[in-house]
Amino acid sequence: MVTAELATIAPFGVALAFLLLWVVSLGLTQVRIADASREAARMIARGESTSTAAAVARRQAPAGASVRVTSAGGIVSVTVRATSRMPVPFFSGVGSRRMESTSLAAEESP
């Protein structure tokens, strides 16, 4: 009797584990791209070059991330886009989502 119940519930346990892993991977990706966009916006606002700040953002963001920098009216905007992937080799494309984070910073005057 216990074996039949376990055989019925085991697939749900595995599905729940994959769901939790997916949610954690989404959260980690969002934190990484938010940190990358914020750091790049701060660097540009302090006077660093756009290319240097974009390179730092790409290093902090997940692999394959894109960085877009705009500046208008003394406000710097940095947008980082990346795809969230599960950290399981055969399931890395399952549930992947394109995520984006934008940070703004006021340019500092010298």
Side-chain angles (χ1 to χ4, degrees):
M1 187 162 134
V2 174
T3 305
E5 292 169 352
L6 184 61
T8 304
I9 291 187
F12 293 108
V14 172
L16 179 63
F18 274 107
L19 178 66
L20 291 175
L21 187 61
W22 177 64
V23 169
V24 168
S25 70
L26 288 175
L28 289 175
T29 301
Q30 186 63 39
V31 167
R32 289 181 68 190
I33 64 175
D35 287 345
S37 66
R38 184 173 48 245
E39 183 63 27
R42 284 184 194 156
M43 288 177 69
I44 295 170
R46 285 189 225 131
E48 292 286 332
S49 69
T50 302
S51 60
T52 302
V56 167
R58 281 189 195 92
R59 275 196 307 268
Q60 289 182 347
S66 64
V67 178
R68 189 183 77 214
V69 177
T70 58
S71 180
I75 302 292
V76 175
S77 172
V78 177
T79 302
V80 177
R81 290 187 181 104
T83 301
S84 174
R85 303 210 183 274
M86 283 184 53
V88 180
F90 297 111
F91 298 102
S92 64
V94 174
S96 63
R97 297 279 184 255
R98 189 81 171 146
M99 303 178 82
E100 177 179 307
S101 178
T102 302
S103 296
L104 303 173
E107 291 179 344
E108 298 177 6
S109 56

